[in-house]
Amino acid sequence: MQKLDGEVFSKNTESVFAASTNFIFNPSSYSSNKSRLRKPPRLNFSSMYKKTNSGNINKSHQNPVSMACRASRDSNETSPARKDDSSVHGLSETIVGVLGGGQLGRMLCQAASQLAIKVMVLDPLENCPASALSYHHMVGSFDDSATVQEFAQRCGVLTVEIEHVDVATMEKLEQQGVDCQPKASTIRIIQDKYLQKVHFSRHGIPLPEFMEVNDLESARRAGKQFGYPLMVKSKRLAYDGRGNAVAKSEEELSSAITALGGFDRGLYVEKWAPFVKELAVIVVRGRDKSILCYPVVETIHKENICHIVKAPAAVPWKISELATDVAHKAVSSLEGAGIFAVELFWTNNGQILLNEVAPRPHNSGHHTIESCYTSQFEQHMRAVVGLPLGDPSMKTPAAIMYNLLGEAEGERGFYLAHQLIGKALSIPGATVHWYDKPEMRQQRKMGHITIVGSSMGLVESHLNSLLKEDSSDCQSKTVLPRIGIIMGSDSDLPVMKDAAKILTMFSVPHEVRIVSAHRTPDLMFSYASSAHERGIEIIIAGAGGAAHLPGKL
Amino acid sequence: MQKLDGEVFSKNTESVFAASTNFIFNPSSYSSNKSRLRKPPRLNFSSMYKKTNSGNINKSHQNPVSMACRASRDSNETSPARKDDSSVHGLSETIVGVLGGGQLGRMLCQAASQLAIKVMVLDPLENCPASALSYHHMVGSFDDSATVQEFAQRCGVLTVEIEHVDVATMEKLEQQGVDCQPKASTIRIIQDKYLQKVHFSRHGIPLPEFMEVNDLESARRAGKQFGYPLMVKSKRLAYDGRGNAVAKSEEELSSAITALGGFDRGLYVEKWAPFVKELAVIVVRGRDKSILCYPVVETIHKENICHIVKAPAAVPWKISELATDVAHKAVSSLEGAGIFAVELFWTNNGQILLNEVAPRPHNSGHHTIESCYTSQFEQHMRAVVGLPLGDPSMKTPAAIMYNLLGEAEGERGFYLAHQLIGKALSIPGATVHWYDKPEMRQQRKMGHITIVGSSMGLVESHLNSLLKEDSSDCQSKTVLPRIGIIMGSDSDLPVMKDAAKILTMFSVPHEVRIVSAHRTPDLMFSYASSAHERGIEIIIAGAGGAAHLPGKL
């Protein structure tokens, strides 16, 4: 038996779940050496467990325990809603168990707290980001069968914030009637990226061409067929660029394969997809199988890690519609409720190809917290407990999300991050999220900043001023235009260009824009409402004979 | 010594704060019988306290404790920013202590969690709304001197979510160098509503006339001077209408006084202020004394309890400016950082009179969570720890907040609330907040719903459909207009009215509006963008000779 690194802390376990009439609980599972129940809220400490020398737990009753904790497990119901309505005090009494307690788990807990839905997390890290905000945090591995089983027994519905969980145990639990959302079958498909491609390909979803490779010979054949550069990928445990290698030519094939750990890890190759933009669509699927899609976003990666997300993506309407269709179709082919993130390529030849799907909230949907009527995190909670889905549309015209990645190890990294978030607090429309990870590492996601505003141009300019090295007020002010020259059509330009000429002569910073109140009312509105914010002091507006420019400039 | 109702649970207290070099901590305060430290996050349970029969606490060390908790107390610094920048890992290492753990404390914890700022709450109720989300919850009274002192020792800055706290102790603590925001002097002024009126009156803030009354004779004199109806008010412990009584005539004076508990409680009278609307302005004051004001809102009370808040208030621009000025002036006269809520009357004769000020986040600012760039709760956190203030302006054109008040006691009340929030989940733009209060009582604030959208008309219609008794889809659909008749000016009406006549003849639900793209571009924009959402299928737009209507309808 493995030695415990700390004390098993727990309490009168029968009483914890006494309020639930249909709960089956095995107190002996508390002696598991792989998990530890931390921080049980709403319990008073009138009885507690002490560890004996053998590592087992003995109860030492002192008082009867008064319980405010209402646990429920209705594993055989298809809907988590309880039949006895009168006992539901908030939005749902279902305890949501989340495998994983990273930043996604943390933001799920934040969303759940608004609805007063209780979230339990299973994560091996004692001070993982979700720990302090969860109803319970069980310290243990989400990839260990006994631990996952023990955890599942305490939850009304089991969900994930990471796909690299013990799926065989989830399947077993489902057979025993445990409610998993999304379904274990979905996690199994997604976990293995090759299996995922085969699945989507069978469902007619457009993908880059791909092929399993088992030896150098088959890899070379694939290279001949797909050409170079060629993507070589691990089937499993791949995320944030880990598990991907590029072979620029046949000569680089074997080093790319070695970099990924060789054929024993399970590899496949993918035809290079030259893209205009990488796009993503957050999709939610309810327990009733209804599906809603969030607006298409553009994701910008740096060294294979998500760096910036722009919402909505600046793409032609047809591309946006096509991307939404592909995302809808992809999620329709999977089973279970919750948020799904569909990553896509908009290729040079106008196609939308699926890159991969995540069966959980996703970095490309963080902006939804500030910019959409219902955030992806609240939506995931609604979906898995069976509440009606919320409105996924945007409540602000534009949003941009910037990931705070560790720029250095340890204290130096914290110092650099601290400088940036300190600056972000003064950027209009910016919201800072800090995940409170105990350790800083290079390229680790430590937090993110979302900037919302009345136009993409505005939020981009705010992000630029945040990221600018030299942020002395004086300098940034002289760079921003102070005078805007606008006109309804470029046919006015021959007349208006002289104004710009004079301003240039006197070194007055200015901008020239075609803004039509008739053809581009959205643009006109966002131009007018953001002009002051952007530092515009004077607007020179030119218009033709019959025009009446709206007067609120 | 009072008997403890449960076990004192705690842990190796020296180690808890070992990471802080400048923390002065007295372990003996842990044996206080008035407070109990619950749920210490990030502690492992390798050593714990056991209670002896005498009620004192003995340590039973087993392992050294590994600590992730970073406490700090820099009570003599004027700014809470630590000098040693490299040790600040998130936005602020300052632990914020909040006196009170109700729904305001809960929402402060939610806002703080995004910034990873640690909040401790002091509240007597073990399962108070803030408990589960706080970093620490000390169970104890915020009106008890020893408890408040003990609590303050563990916080970097002390603030309040309720003004009925032990202000004498706060003053004593301030003298000892404890950082209170807002200042104890402010709490003292606000606590006593008569003192508050005297204070604001001395600072030239417009108020309804008022007068202290010590006996029936002085009350009668005041009645002669101010006329009837006359407001009779308690000086202290007045909130949500408690402590107010109306005397409609001299005959009712003595019963009003009796209802308030007699002259011994401390009473004053106020001249009746006939108002058009009740308004409120949320104001934030930074540690650097900078002041920002949120948009003016309208508050609608029912039986003296806040019922609905509309943001922004539909008032003439001059009234909005005047209300903001009065609020700014009122808060300028008080000391300390944080959120202040200024309640105002817009009187029949066009005056703005101050009703009262709350030195904390307030019900009239709940809408800011969804509708403003920076919520009042995040803003309060920023202000008290000394971070830059955020943008208080609205990111959605309109918001309406509806309080979920207990409609019945106990399970029946929970059932009714559950019905309403279940419905709210399907209302576009609605966000549900449930405070998770353990007991339901008549008129108790149990949660709130905020609806945001593109116009006040839209969010009002959503609220109406939420509150409508009969919500059968069929019925609500036939009531909504399907055709909109719009024109730029009422001079177009003689031509356009025939369209309305025909629609009426055929029983087609429709609406008629004057929407000018030139004079009211805001209205035109929100009309166009919300038309589809409101069920409008056809727009008949009439315009004069030279008009070019923006084409995006």
Side-chain angles (χ1 to χ4, degrees):
Chain A
M1 194 170 169
Q2 203 187 313
K3 206 181 159 290
L4 281 171
D5 64 347
E7 196 78 3
V8 175
F9 171 74
S10 185
K11 64 167 320 295
N12 187 329
T13 50
E14 290 91 336
S15 303
V16 171
F17 300 99
S20 167
T21 51
N22 54 354
F23 192 89
I24 305 143
F25 189 78
N26 172 15
S28 69
S29 64
Y30 263 83
S31 63
S32 156
N33 64 346
K34 298 199 187 71
S35 69
R36 189 141 43 100
L37 185 60
R38 282 193 55 244
K39 209 194 66 180
R42 307 229 164 157
L43 310 182
N44 73 32
F45 297 94
S46 52
S47 43
M48 47 176 87
Y49 284 87
K50 281 186 295 186
K51 196 186 154 213
T52 62
N53 289 339
S54 70
N56 290 324
I57 297 161
N58 294 331
K59 282 174 281 178
S60 70
H61 281 277
Q62 291 183 323
N63 300 332
V65 180
S66 71
M67 280 302 310
C69 161
R70 300 178 296 260
S72 78
R73 273 267 284 95
D74 308 273
S75 51
N76 293 319
E77 288 184 293
T78 50
S79 153
R82 290 172 67 125
K83 274 146 199 157
D84 176 13
D85 254 359
S86 66
S87 71
V88 180
H89 285 186
L91 280 100
S92 172
E93 295 291 288
T94 306
I95 293 182
V96 178
V98 181
L99 299 179
Q103 66 267 23
L104 300 173
R106 181 181 174 91
M107 289 184 273
L108 281 173
C109 288
Q110 286 166 342
S113 82
Q114 223 165 258
L115 303 170
I117 291 176
K118 295 176 181 69
V119 177
M120 278 181 72
V121 299
L122 175 61
D123 194 280
L125 197 64
E126 184 148 8
N127 47 10
C128 67
S131 182
L133 303 175
S134 64
Y135 174 64
H136 278 184
H137 169 205
M138 186 194 268
V139 180
S141 170
F142 41 74
D143 199 22
D144 175 81
S145 182
T147 310
V148 171
Q149 284 187 58
E150 188 192 335
F151 180 73
Q153 277 180 316
R154 304 195 194 158
C155 312
V157 58
L158 194 66
T159 187
V160 301
E161 61 109 59
I162 182 165
E163 51 272 31
H164 305 298
V165 296
D166 179 3
V167 75
T169 301
M170 280 182 79
E171 283 166 340
K172 202 169 94 183
L173 289 168
E174 268 182 2
Q175 280 160 18
Q176 291 165 10
V178 169
D179 185 8
C180 300
Q181 302 295 342
K183 296 291 167 206
S185 62
T186 295
I187 310 289
R188 183 171 283 287
I189 291 164
I190 303 268
Q191 266 187 354
D192 183 321
K193 284 170 98 175
Y194 175 70
L195 198 61
Q196 196 187 134
K197 303 262 164 185
V198 172
H199 169 88
F200 288 125
S201 166
R202 281 188 189 144
H203 282 82
I205 315 283
L207 297 162
E209 290 179 73
F210 66 100
M211 192 188 290
E212 193 175 18
V213 291
N214 298 311
D215 50 33
L216 201 56
E217 193 40 50
S218 59
R220 281 196 186 121
R221 272 200 308 274
K224 285 210 168 65
Q225 190 176 330
F226 296 157
Y228 291 88
L230 184 70
M231 286 300 294
V232 189
K233 294 187 168 184
S234 297
K235 291 181 176 179
R236 299 176 63 83
L237 294 171
Y239 66 98
D240 282 353
R242 271 172 265 198
N244 287 1
V246 180
K248 284 181 193 147
S249 62
E250 194 172 302
E251 288 67 46
E252 285 185 23
L253 258 186
S254 71
S255 64
I257 286 156
T258 309
L260 294 176
F263 291 104
D264 291 346
R265 276 208 50 199
L267 301 180
Y268 69 104
V269 297
E270 210 174 88
K271 187 172 175 178
W272 188 261
F275 57 79
V276 187
K277 283 179 179 177
E278 286 187 271
L279 307 176
V281 181
I282 298 286
V283 180
V284 62
R285 193 179 149 105
R287 293 181 75 103
D288 60 357
K289 297 183 182 168
S290 61
I291 288 183
L292 294 175
C293 298
Y294 282 76
V296 181
V297 301
E298 179 185 355
T299 58
I300 298 164
H301 291 77
K302 214 166 145 178
E303 295 168 36
N304 286 306
I305 301 178
C306 179
H307 174 55
I308 284 171
V309 174
K310 294 181 185 182
V315 295
W317 183 79
K318 288 232 157 178
I319 291 299
S320 166
E321 199 184 35
L322 188 56
T324 307
D325 279 355
V326 170
H328 191 287
K329 210 166 163 188
V331 173
S332 301
S333 75
L334 299 168
E335 291 183 294
I339 285 282
F340 295 82
V342 183
E343 295 187 72
L344 304 160
F345 297 119
W346 171 25
T347 65
N348 291 346
N349 57 359
Q351 278 186 295
I352 290 290
L353 302 181
L354 184 136
N355 179 15
E356 60 184 79
V357 173
R360 51 164 174 83
H362 189 258
N363 205 161
S364 66
H366 289 358
H367 73 93
T368 61
I369 299 174
E370 285 80 21
S371 73
C372 292
Y373 289 110
T374 312
S375 80
Q376 65 166 345
F377 299 102
E378 177 173 335
Q379 199 73 279
H380 188 73
M381 282 293 142
R382 288 179 179 226
V384 301
V385 304
L387 295 170
L389 299 183
D391 185 347
S393 56
M394 289 182 74
K395 66 181 176 189
T396 63
I400 198 160
M401 192 271 340
Y402 177 81
N403 265 349
L404 292 164
L405 302 173
E407 290 180 47
E409 304 283 313
E411 286 301 328
R412 172 82 188 145
F414 277 118
Y415 175 78
L416 291 172
H418 190 248
Q419 298 296 102
L420 192 63
I421 55 185
K423 244 172 105 180
L425 290 170
S426 300
I427 299 285
T431 303
V432 173
H433 294 256
W434 187 251
Y435 307 147
D436 216 10
K437 294 188 180 179
E439 277 176 62
M440 167 67 76
R441 288 202 216 115
Q442 196 95 28
Q443 294 295 81
R444 182 181 246 192
K445 291 175 180 172
M446 300 301 292
H448 74 266
I449 294 164
T450 300
I451 308 176
V452 298
S454 50
S455 73
M456 186 53 73
L458 178 69
V459 297
E460 278 179 331
S461 78
H462 284 326
L463 181 62
N464 290 341
S465 66
L466 171 64
L467 301 179
K468 217 167 26 196
E469 284 296 321
D470 179 12
S471 67
S472 69
D473 267 358
C474 169
Q475 179 138 4
S476 63
K477 263 183 193 152
T478 57
V479 168
L480 286 174
R482 295 174 63 192
I483 297 184
I485 302 173
I486 61 169
M487 60 210 83
S489 153
D490 55 10
S491 65
D492 304 321
L493 202 52
V495 177
M496 302 299 286
K497 73 177 188 321
D498 289 338
K501 228 184 251 174
I502 299 278
L503 292 173
T504 305
M505 203 186 293
F506 288 103
S507 301
V508 179
H510 60 277
E511 62 182 16
V512 180
R513 294 279 181 284
I514 310 295
V515 181
S516 166
H518 314 139
R519 283 178 302 276
T520 57
D522 276 20
L523 180 63
M524 183 243 7
F525 200 81
S526 82
Y527 186 88
S529 59
S530 69
H532 178 69
E533 257 182 286
R534 292 188 301 115
I536 297 286
E537 291 167 25
I538 295 168
I539 293 177
I540 304 174
H548 307 254
L549 280 175
K552 278 210 82 178
L553 292 177
Chain B
M1 193 169 167
Q2 203 187 310
K3 206 181 159 293
L4 281 171
D5 63 348
E7 197 77 3
V8 175
F9 170 74
S10 185
K11 61 167 323 296
N12 187 329
T13 51
E14 290 91 338
S15 303
V16 172
F17 300 99
S20 168
T21 51
N22 55 354
F23 191 88
I24 306 143
F25 189 78
N26 173 15
S28 71
S29 63
Y30 263 83
S31 64
S32 158
N33 65 346
K34 297 200 188 72
S35 70
R36 190 140 42 101
L37 186 58
R38 282 193 55 244
K39 208 194 63 178
R42 308 230 164 158
L43 310 182
N44 73 33
F45 297 94
S46 51
S47 43
M48 46 177 85
Y49 284 87
K50 282 187 295 186
K51 196 183 153 213
T52 62
N53 289 340
S54 70
N56 289 323
I57 297 161
N58 294 331
K59 283 173 281 179
S60 68
H61 281 279
Q62 291 182 324
N63 301 331
V65 180
S66 71
M67 280 302 309
C69 161
R70 301 177 297 259
S72 79
R73 273 268 284 95
D74 309 273
S75 53
N76 293 320
E77 287 183 294
T78 50
S79 153
R82 290 170 67 123
K83 274 146 200 158
D84 176 13
D85 254 1
S86 65
S87 72
V88 179
H89 285 187
L91 279 99
S92 172
E93 295 291 288
T94 306
I95 294 182
V96 178
V98 181
L99 300 179
Q103 65 267 23
L104 300 173
R106 181 181 175 91
M107 289 183 274
L108 281 173
C109 288
Q110 286 166 341
S113 81
Q114 223 165 258
L115 303 170
I117 291 175
K118 294 176 182 70
V119 177
M120 278 182 72
V121 299
L122 175 61
D123 194 281
L125 198 63
E126 184 149 6
N127 47 10
C128 67
S131 181
L133 304 174
S134 63
Y135 174 64
H136 279 185
H137 169 204
M138 187 193 269
V139 180
S141 170
F142 42 75
D143 199 21
D144 174 83
S145 182
T147 310
V148 171
Q149 283 187 60
E150 189 193 334
F151 180 73
Q153 277 180 317
R154 304 195 194 159
C155 312
V157 58
L158 194 66
T159 187
V160 300
E161 62 109 59
I162 182 167
E163 52 272 32
H164 305 298
V165 296
D166 179 2
V167 74
T169 301
M170 279 183 79
E171 283 165 340
K172 202 169 93 184
L173 288 168
E174 267 182 3
Q175 280 160 17
Q176 292 164 9
V178 169
D179 185 7
C180 299
Q181 302 295 343
K183 296 291 167 206
S185 61
T186 295
I187 310 287
R188 183 171 284 286
I189 291 164
I190 302 269
Q191 265 187 354
D192 183 320
K193 284 171 97 175
Y194 175 71
L195 199 61
Q196 194 187 134
K197 304 261 164 185
V198 171
H199 168 88
F200 288 125
S201 165
R202 280 189 191 145
H203 282 82
I205 315 282
L207 296 163
E209 289 179 73
F210 66 100
M211 192 188 288
E212 192 174 19
V213 291
N214 297 312
D215 50 32
L216 202 56
E217 193 40 49
S218 59
R220 281 199 186 119
R221 271 201 308 274
K224 284 210 168 64
Q225 191 176 333
F226 297 155
Y228 291 89
L230 185 70
M231 286 300 293
V232 190
K233 294 188 169 184
S234 298
K235 291 181 177 178
R236 299 176 64 82
L237 294 170
Y239 66 97
D240 283 353
R242 272 171 263 199
N244 288 0
V246 180
K248 284 180 193 146
S249 62
E250 194 172 301
E251 289 67 46
E252 286 184 23
L253 258 186
S254 70
S255 64
I257 287 155
T258 309
L260 294 175
F263 290 104
D264 290 347
R265 277 209 47 200
L267 301 180
Y268 70 104
V269 297
E270 212 174 87
K271 188 172 175 177
W272 189 261
F275 57 80
V276 187
K277 284 179 179 177
E278 286 187 89
L279 307 176
V281 181
I282 298 286
V283 180
V284 62
R285 194 179 149 105
R287 293 182 75 102
D288 60 358
K289 297 182 181 169
S290 61
I291 288 182
L292 294 174
C293 297
Y294 282 77
V296 181
V297 301
E298 179 185 354
T299 57
I300 298 164
H301 291 76
K302 215 166 146 178
E303 294 168 38
N304 286 305
I305 300 178
C306 179
H307 174 55
I308 284 172
V309 173
K310 294 182 186 183
V315 295
W317 183 78
K318 289 233 157 178
I319 291 299
S320 166
E321 200 184 35
L322 188 56
T324 307
D325 279 355
V326 170
H328 191 288
K329 210 167 163 188
V331 173
S332 303
S333 75
L334 299 168
E335 290 183 294
I339 285 283
F340 295 81
V342 183
E343 296 187 72
L344 304 160
F345 298 119
W346 171 25
T347 65
N348 291 346
N349 57 359
Q351 277 186 297
I352 290 289
L353 302 182
L354 184 136
N355 179 15
E356 60 183 79
V357 173
R360 51 165 172 83
H362 189 258
N363 205 161
S364 66
H366 289 359
H367 73 93
T368 61
I369 299 174
E370 285 81 20
S371 73
C372 291
Y373 289 109
T374 312
S375 80
Q376 66 166 344
F377 299 103
E378 177 174 335
Q379 198 74 278
H380 189 72
M381 282 293 141
R382 287 179 180 227
V384 301
V385 305
L387 294 170
L389 299 183
D391 185 347
S393 57
M394 288 181 75
K395 65 181 175 188
T396 63
I400 198 160
M401 193 273 336
Y402 177 81
N403 265 348
L404 292 164
L405 302 173
E407 290 181 47
E409 304 284 313
E411 287 300 328
R412 171 82 189 147
F414 276 118
Y415 175 78
L416 291 171
H418 190 248
Q419 297 296 102
L420 193 64
I421 54 185
K423 245 173 104 179
L425 290 170
S426 300
I427 299 284
T431 303
V432 174
H433 293 256
W434 187 251
Y435 306 147
D436 216 10
K437 294 188 180 179
E439 276 176 63
M440 166 68 76
R441 289 204 214 112
Q442 196 93 30
Q443 295 295 82
R444 181 180 247 193
K445 291 176 180 171
M446 301 300 293
H448 75 267
I449 294 165
T450 299
I451 308 176
V452 298
S454 50
S455 73
M456 185 52 73
L458 179 69
V459 296
E460 278 180 331
S461 79
H462 285 326
L463 181 62
N464 290 341
S465 66
L466 171 64
L467 300 179
K468 215 166 26 196
E469 283 297 321
D470 179 13
S471 67
S472 70
D473 268 358
C474 169
Q475 179 138 6
S476 63
K477 262 181 194 153
T478 57
V479 167
L480 286 174
R482 294 175 63 191
I483 298 184
I485 302 174
I486 61 169
M487 61 210 83
S489 152
D490 56 8
S491 65
D492 304 322
L493 202 52
V495 176
M496 302 299 287
K497 74 176 190 319
D498 290 339
K501 226 184 253 174
I502 299 279
L503 292 172
T504 305
M505 203 187 291
F506 287 102
S507 301
V508 179
H510 59 277
E511 62 182 15
V512 179
R513 295 278 181 284
I514 310 295
V515 181
S516 166
H518 315 139
R519 283 178 302 277
T520 58
D522 276 20
L523 180 63
M524 182 240 11
F525 200 80
S526 82
Y527 185 88
S529 59
S530 69
H532 178 70
E533 256 183 286
R534 291 188 301 115
I536 297 285
E537 291 167 26
I538 296 167
I539 293 177
I540 304 174
H548 306 253
L549 280 175
K552 276 211 83 175
L553 292 177

